Amino acid sequence: MTAIDRLRGKLPFMAIWFAVCAVLIIVSFDQIASGIGWGPDDQLRQVQIRDWLARQSWFDTTQYRIGAPDSQPMHWPRLIELPLALIIFILKPVIGPLAAETAAMVVVPLVALGIAMWLVAKITEQLFDRQTALLSAALTATAVSVIAQLRPMRIDHHGWQIVLALVVLWTMFWPDKRRAGQIMGLSLALWLSISLEGLPLSVAFIVLLAFRWIVSLDEGVRLFWTLAGFLGGTIVLYLVNHGQVEMFANYCDALSPVHIFSCLAGAAIILPGIYYGPKSVIARCAWLITAGAFALVTIAALEPQCMGSAFGQLDPLVRDYWLVNVREGMPIWAQPWREIITLFGGSIIVGIGSLIYIQWLRPDAADKNKLFLLAYALLWAFLVSLLVQRAAAVAAAYALPLVGWAVHRAFLGARGIKRPVSRILATVAVVFLILPGPLFLGLANAVRGEAENDSEPLVSSDGKPACDSSESLAGLNALPQSNIIAPFDFGPEILVQTQHSVLATSHHRNDDAMADQIRILTSKPEVALDLIEARQIRYIAICQEESELKLYASKHPDGLAAKLLEKGQPNWLQTVHLRDSALTIWKVVPKELRNGT
């Protein structure tokens, strides 16, 4: 095949990707125009990139404008910032720093989306035909939880986790076991270096490889090189991500020396066992059990607290007031029913339904061994997503090949109907296979006369900017550079748009500052004042309708938050009015100007 033929073969996919990119840019235009990431994680990543480009060390991801007079460490390595920084570096001399940053925040997620779509097509080709593969790639745009992580201005790490999860699954189909194991191991290492959220699925894939080795000695090649690639990749990436100061610090929420030593302990047992290949199934099981035991004992001996949850060391106050209210980290039964239908009532439910249909009614539709690999990955990802809502994106991505097959078969069946009216109705009905959940909600809202968009308006009823809008937060620039208390989710955007510092943001590594902010807002004013002075707070900025403040007020009616919402602030707070902001703002009156508290 010539280069021209290969290019022609890629043109349909490129056309699909360009079309999806165009649609996403159009629907995201307001966010793009703001130059600000979608949520707190994207916004704080913006701040982290800016700090790095402003000569903060590669190894230092500390946020120095959070938690004064201290500073706050972050658990995000800079790896995924490299493509963003490269585009900014190239475009900055041409269009300026802010425009270059916005361009990078548009281009990089869309490139990651293109890679994810290509991987979906490659996985689909392992089971079905080329047409179904292209359709599955196109249907990536309809997977709500996937697109939410791979749209313009979404620069958090979740998008790259989807890409790496697809790479890992793809390698399971490769016939070259050594090369497949190497790439899979390196992909797992990169995935876990970006975030330990990938640990449950990583374990699931390793367990499958180990089981196949127990059953068939020939599968040891793939397992050996996967473990070797993972171990080597993890060590190299850890050294790349950490400087000498942090190199020996152990954290339970990110890859740390304790995890590396655990992997080394297990590898010292299992890799020789795989290499020499004991003939007995019982002996191979013994090797695996011993290796796993050594790995777990290593963690228990070095950092026993890391045997549990990554949030096990979180301040109880932060856990009770903040963590339990972070819906994306909660199980499915803690979610509003509309969100459950939106996230799961799409590619996931259609994919699982198609899997059941193929298994029982169309066993000849795909190679059984390859279908098992896809089914295994999908069902494991689905189980994880039931326990952690944000994991639904990987499950949705894994379901896309099956969704593509179902939609393709349904469309062909509909087109084969002879009666025109029935054919048209059946063809329209195929749409419900693509987005059954969102379409159901849309119809339900239409019948009940409810608006589909429940988000806050950009302007208030009097025509002023909404309290939590970017315009209101940017209005804080009118104040002298200060340390501010604001709701957790406001903090990152304040850091992006202003030179102010904030006490805390909704990121668990700064739980000491988060706990102090909760104490300030739930304590009686005289107690809160002592903490405010210790933290060098100069301003408090809130929204009267902010749910975080209402939670504090409901549980502590005598606390500072309740007083502020009732506009009964103590006399050591002075109301501040800003022309371009709808925030309610108070200035902490200096000691020498107070008449008592």
Side-chain angles (χ1 to χ4, degrees):
M1 182 182 293
T2 66
I4 294 178
D5 291 333
R6 286 195 296 269
L7 179 61
R8 285 176 179 170
K10 294 177 182 177
L11 285 178
F13 172 80
M14 296 298 293
I16 293 170
W17 176 56
F18 281 131
V20 172
C21 289
V23 171
L24 289 177
I25 289 173
I26 291 171
V27 300
S28 305
F29 183 78
D30 288 342
Q31 198 69 34
I32 295 171
S34 75
I36 302 168
W38 284 99
D41 287 356
D42 306 298
Q43 294 154 9
L44 199 53
R45 180 70 73 172
Q46 272 185 272
V47 176
Q48 188 163 300
I49 295 169
R50 290 179 182 179
D51 292 344
W52 178 36
L53 296 178
R55 306 289 181 107
Q56 187 169 328
S57 169
W58 166 273
F59 302 113
D60 182 11
T61 58
T62 303
Q63 285 302 315
Y64 293 98
R65 290 197 289 147
I66 300 176
D70 305 316
S71 55
Q72 300 300 322
M74 293 299 297
H75 63 292
W76 296 337
R78 295 198 186 276
L79 286 172
I80 67 169
E81 295 167 23
L82 285 171
L84 293 159
L86 178 61
I87 293 176
I88 294 172
F89 179 78
I90 293 172
L91 295 182
K92 181 178 177 180
V94 181
I95 60 177
L98 293 180
E101 180 182 88
T102 301
M105 294 173 67
V106 172
V107 171
V108 171
L110 293 180
V111 169
L113 172 62
I115 297 172
M117 293 172 65
W118 179 77
L119 288 166
V120 168
K122 300 301 288 186
I123 292 170
T124 307
E125 285 180 343
Q126 299 294 321
L127 296 101
F128 308 115
D129 56 36
R130 173 68 173 168
Q131 284 184 323
T132 303
L134 286 174
L135 179 58
S136 297
L139 290 175
T140 305
T142 69
V144 176
S145 54
V146 174
I147 289 299
Q149 306 296 349
L150 290 166
R151 53 184 166 164
M153 309 303 287
R154 183 66 168 161
I155 58 172
D156 191 18
H157 56 272
H158 296 295
W160 290 111
Q161 288 182 258
I162 297 171
V163 171
L164 290 167
L166 288 167
V167 172
V168 170
L169 175 57
W170 185 34
T171 62
M172 292 292 292
F173 297 100
W174 296 6
D176 186 340
K177 297 176 182 178
R178 175 171 178 166
R179 182 166 174 266
Q182 291 170 342
I183 299 301
M184 183 179 184
L186 291 173
S187 299
L188 290 173
L190 184 55
W191 188 359
L192 296 183
S193 293
I194 291 174
S195 174
L196 279 184
E197 291 174 354
L199 184 59
L201 275 178
S202 299
V203 170
F205 280 109
I206 297 297
V207 167
L208 177 59
L209 294 182
F211 175 78
R212 292 170 69 171
W213 174 62
I214 291 175
V215 174
S216 175
L217 201 59
D218 293 340
E219 290 296 324
V221 175
R222 192 187 298 265
L223 177 61
F224 180 92
W225 287 107
T226 296
L227 295 176
F230 172 74
L231 183 60
T234 298
I235 293 172
V236 170
L237 289 169
Y238 185 79
L239 295 175
V240 167
N241 285 326
H242 297 80
Q244 293 181 353
V245 175
E246 286 287 314
M247 185 172 292
F248 299 105
N250 281 316
Y251 294 101
C252 298
D253 61 351
L255 273 178
S256 298
V258 62
H259 302 109
I260 295 176
F261 287 134
S262 173
C263 291
L264 286 170
I269 302 296
I270 193 59
L271 289 181
I274 299 172
Y275 183 79
Y276 290 109
K279 303 296 183 182
S280 167
V281 170
I282 296 176
R284 293 198 289 274
C285 288
W287 279 102
L288 284 169
I289 293 172
T290 304
F294 265 70
L296 292 175
V297 167
T298 301
I299 295 179
L302 296 178
E303 296 289 342
Q305 68 273 16
C306 292
M307 294 289 289
S309 168
F311 299 105
Q313 295 175 287
L314 202 65
D315 188 297
L317 197 63
V318 177
R319 182 175 58 249
D320 295 341
Y321 282 88
W322 172 72
L323 184 63
V324 297
N325 293 303
V326 180
R327 289 210 306 259
E328 67 175 20
M330 293 291 108
I332 186 174
W333 50 86
Q335 311 299 328
W337 69 270
R338 290 175 180 269
E339 193 159 340
I340 294 173
I341 292 176
T342 300
L343 292 178
F344 293 88
S347 62
I348 295 177
I349 193 67
V350 175
I352 294 175
S354 301
L355 182 63
I356 295 171
Y357 178 83
I358 291 173
Q359 180 66 31
W360 294 105
L361 299 177
R362 288 294 306 276
D364 59 336
D367 180 281
K368 289 185 178 180
N369 291 328
K370 292 181 177 181
L371 185 62
F372 169 79
L373 292 176
L374 179 60
Y376 178 86
L378 171 58
L379 294 177
W380 264 108
F382 175 64
L383 289 175
V384 174
S385 69
L386 295 180
L387 300 175
V388 181
Q389 181 247 61
R390 59 173 163 255
V394 173
Y398 282 168
L400 285 168
L402 292 163
V403 177
W405 178 85
V407 171
H408 187 220
R409 295 294 305 175
F411 182 77
L412 291 177
R415 297 306 297 168
I417 298 175
K418 294 182 178 181
R419 295 180 60 184
V421 175
S422 300
R423 183 171 63 250
I424 293 172
L425 292 175
T427 303
V428 172
V430 174
V431 177
F432 281 85
L433 279 177
I434 301 174
L435 285 171
L439 286 174
F440 169 79
L441 286 179
L443 290 174
N445 289 335
V447 170
R448 297 170 61 183
E450 297 180 2
E452 292 187 21
N453 186 1
D454 297 326
S455 61
E456 293 292 330
L458 295 177
V459 295
S460 59
S461 57
D462 58 3
K464 294 181 180 180
C467 179
D468 58 352
S469 67
S470 58
E471 291 84 358
S472 285
L473 295 175
L476 293 172
N477 279 309
L479 301 175
Q481 186 173 343
S482 309
N483 192 21
I484 296 175
I485 285 181
F488 290 140
D489 285 346
F490 288 17
E493 189 168 344
I494 292 173
L495 297 180
V496 169
Q497 295 207 80
T498 75
Q499 293 302 308
H500 296 301
S501 298
V502 296
L503 175 56
T505 63
S506 52
H507 297 90
H508 67 271
R509 277 279 183 97
N510 66 113
D511 67 319
D512 286 343
M514 293 175 75
D516 273 356
Q517 178 158 318
I518 294 170
R519 290 188 184 99
I520 288 170
L521 293 169
T522 57
S523 299
K524 293 183 177 181
E526 58 271 19
V527 177
L529 179 58
D530 293 335
L531 291 169
I532 284 174
E533 290 177 340
R535 284 290 187 173
Q536 303 173 6
I537 305 299
R538 191 171 180 183
Y539 291 96
I540 298 176
I542 68 167
C543 275
Q544 293 289 336
E545 299 300 317
E546 174 62 31
S547 59
E548 179 185 330
L549 277 297
K550 289 182 176 181
L551 173 64
Y552 302 150
S554 65
K555 293 191 174 183
H556 300 273
D558 294 329
L560 180 61
K563 300 296 183 185
L564 296 180
L565 292 178
E566 296 168 359
K567 298 185 178 180
Q569 73 268 20
N571 62 2
W572 46 265
L573 286 179
Q574 177 183 351
T575 303
V576 176
H577 299 284
L578 293 182
R579 180 178 179 182
D580 298 322
S581 178
L583 289 164
T584 305
I585 304 170
W586 294 274
K587 178 181 178 180
V588 179
V589 178
K591 285 184 179 181
E592 59 271 16
L593 299 181
R594 296 176 198 157
N595 296 319
T597 58

